[in-house]
Amino acid sequence: EEIIKVQQLDKVKFTDSEINTLGFNENEINSNLLPTGEGISADLIIFPKFVEMPQKSQLVLAIGRPEIFDQATKRPIGAILSINKNIPTIPNTQSYLESVFLHQITHILGFMHELFDKFEIGIDNVIKTDLETRTRKTKKFIISPKVVEYGKKYFNCSNLTGVELEDLGGYDDYNHSHWEARILLGEYMNSEVHTPEQAISGFTLAL
């Protein structure tokens, strides 16, 4: 009988300065995460925080941002999920918030313009600036191999070289950190979560 050994994940532990970056004090952090602690076996630790959010033209329910990165792999290992204290009464509130949180966690995992240069394949293989065919305006496109491969099949277009990103940012002002809704309407990584039934598509999974 073949024995498969599972390698244990390195334990996550934060320095004092990293804890300060998160905006918590030692009493609010699991003691295992402190410099004197044992660490916690995890890929990523997300800290929810309820905050007062300045309102824009539309209501912001949550914002997710990675704050601490593994020095070797550059992947996020500590993040804040800021949640608006003043969540309104909206239809299907729980399902809607689940969609919003999933969207923000995906930003934390790497779907964010500021993080593309941390991808192992190199930023020049992740994103490019080019002219959009219809408007002839300068736009940004994801060109990572798996996204392009999936896009070619989805759109039945062998000439596709990239998938367009939104350049307006949406509610959370993440420019070039969402799919262009004109291309992928209803995808959960559009800049606006319209309904709880947003689709988790192969485009985001490929990225």
Side-chain angles (χ1 to χ4, degrees):
E1 182 179 345
E2 183 180 358
I3 298 175
I4 300 175
K5 293 183 179 180
V6 178
Q7 183 178 1
Q8 185 176 6
L9 294 170
D10 291 336
K11 290 189 174 181
V12 172
K13 187 163 59 174
F14 300 143
T15 65
D16 287 328
S17 62
E18 288 172 338
I19 291 171
N20 290 336
T21 299
L22 293 171
F24 295 105
N25 61 49
E26 288 191 359
N27 295 327
E28 297 173 313
I29 295 286
N30 186 317
S31 60
N32 288 329
L33 288 171
L34 301 177
T36 55
E38 299 178 354
I40 294 177
S41 293
D43 287 314
L44 170 67
I45 298 174
I46 299 175
F47 297 87
K49 181 185 289 188
F50 287 89
V51 299
E52 297 281 353
M53 289 190 181
Q55 292 308 306
K56 306 174 186 179
S57 59
Q58 298 288 341
L59 186 67
V60 179
L61 297 182
I63 296 176
R65 291 196 71 86
E67 300 289 350
I68 302 173
F69 298 87
D70 182 83
Q71 293 184 356
T73 63
K74 300 182 180 179
R75 66 176 178 82
I77 57 175
I80 294 288
L81 179 61
S82 298
I83 303 166
N84 192 345
K85 283 184 177 181
N86 303 310
I87 294 176
T89 301
I90 54 177
N92 302 313
T93 300
Q94 181 173 344
S95 296
Y96 190 89
L97 288 176
E98 287 173 358
S99 295
V100 171
F101 294 161
L102 181 60
H103 175 105
Q104 296 300 335
I105 289 170
T106 304
H107 280 313
I108 290 170
L109 290 171
F111 199 150
M112 186 185 296
H113 186 260
E114 300 96 311
L115 300 184
F116 292 154
D117 65 348
K118 297 181 184 295
F119 279 40
E120 193 173 76
I121 62 175
I123 190 168
D124 290 338
N125 294 314
V126 177
I127 189 171
K128 73 171 181 178
T129 302
D130 206 348
L131 291 178
E132 193 270 317
T133 305
R134 182 179 64 91
T135 63
R136 304 304 294 172
K137 291 183 178 179
T138 301
K139 304 277 284 187
K140 290 189 182 293
F141 298 79
I142 292 294
I143 59 170
S144 64
K146 289 184 180 297
V147 171
V148 171
E149 178 185 2
Y150 185 85
K152 286 180 177 180
K153 294 177 182 177
Y154 184 87
F155 292 115
N156 191 24
C157 176
S158 60
N159 295 326
L160 184 139
T161 59
V163 180
E164 188 177 342
L165 293 173
E166 176 66 63
D167 57 359
L168 297 178
Y171 297 169
D172 45 20
D173 285 341
Y174 288 175
N175 285 333
H176 307 118
S177 300
H178 302 98
W179 299 119
E180 169 59 62
R182 176 173 49 80
I183 304 297
L184 297 178
L185 183 63
E187 219 282 347
Y188 87 109
M189 289 311 293
N190 285 344
S191 62
E192 300 176 10
V193 178
H194 295 287
T195 70
E197 291 78 28
Q198 303 282 90
I200 300 174
S201 79
F203 289 96
T204 297
L205 297 179
L207 181 61

